[in-house]
Amino acid sequence: MASRNRAAYLRPKIVQDALALMERELTGRCMLTNPAAVRDYLQLRFGCHPHEVFSVVFLNTRQQVIDVVEMFRGTVNHAAIYPREIVIEALQRNASGVILTHNHPDSDGSPSVEDEVLTHAIKAALALVDIAVLDHLIITRKEVVSFAERRLL
């Protein structure tokens, strides 16, 4: 898994221990057979940040997790995202698929128009190198919203 972020010291020890346990259990296994585990892990890891964090779950051809990388950080309501950087990271990891994820610190999980436009731009960039975007999850403290479930992909 990606190195711990600077906000790790803000988490209680029990949350840090839970994240470490989940990472050991999920890395190298087919996470997509248990979507609830994916959601729980991402919500625990990113749901309580006071600022936007955009992360990518990189997957191999069997849809097993290669890595979870916090790619971009922003302010309370915006993060600058660069599709080119996501493509570079995916190619470096030899990923065949990704799950995009970002948090909404205000606890409103509704996808914005900007979220939808960005998702389609990233999907188009990754499609050029045959990497599939399987989902984009918006994480809040209370919920996880899936673009795939809402048919926004």
Side-chain angles (χ1 to χ4, degrees):
M1 291 288 160
S3 62
R4 298 282 183 264
N5 60 40
R6 287 178 260 153
Y9 68 90
L10 298 174
R11 294 187 185 117
K13 173 103 171 79
I14 193 165
V15 173
Q16 291 177 24
D17 291 345
L19 281 168
L21 178 62
M22 291 175 90
E23 286 175 356
R24 281 195 302 273
E25 290 295 316
L26 297 177
T27 304
R29 295 184 184 211
C30 191
M31 283 177 65
L32 296 181
T33 60
N34 187 356
V38 177
R39 289 170 183 249
D40 290 346
Y41 171 75
L42 294 172
Q43 190 169 33
L44 190 60
R45 184 162 172 190
F46 301 114
C48 291
H49 282 295
H51 52 274
E52 280 205 12
V53 176
F54 188 96
S55 303
V56 180
V57 180
F58 296 98
L59 305 166
N60 67 19
T61 56
R62 295 183 298 175
Q63 296 181 342
Q64 294 172 318
V65 175
I66 297 168
D67 206 354
V68 178
V69 179
E70 184 178 308
M71 300 271 314
F72 308 99
R73 284 177 168 247
T75 63
V76 294
N77 64 352
H78 176 76
I81 314 299
Y82 302 97
R84 171 191 166 98
E85 296 301 316
I86 297 169
V87 171
I88 290 168
E89 292 291 328
L91 290 173
Q92 286 177 343
R93 286 168 174 75
N94 201 28
S96 65
V98 298
I99 297 172
L100 308 173
T101 181
H102 78 281
N103 67 317
H104 280 183
D106 65 1
S107 295
D108 178 7
S110 303
S112 68
V113 173
E114 293 84 6
D115 291 338
E116 291 184 46
V117 169
L118 175 65
T119 301
H120 291 289
I122 294 169
K123 185 177 177 182
L126 287 167
L128 293 172
V129 290
D130 295 323
I131 298 173
V133 175
L134 302 178
D135 205 349
H136 184 162
L137 302 173
I138 297 177
I139 313 293
T140 73
R141 291 181 185 151
K142 298 177 182 177
E143 67 179 334
V144 178
V145 176
S146 165
F147 276 50
E149 289 175 359
R150 291 190 175 200
R151 300 185 193 278
L152 297 174
L153 278 180

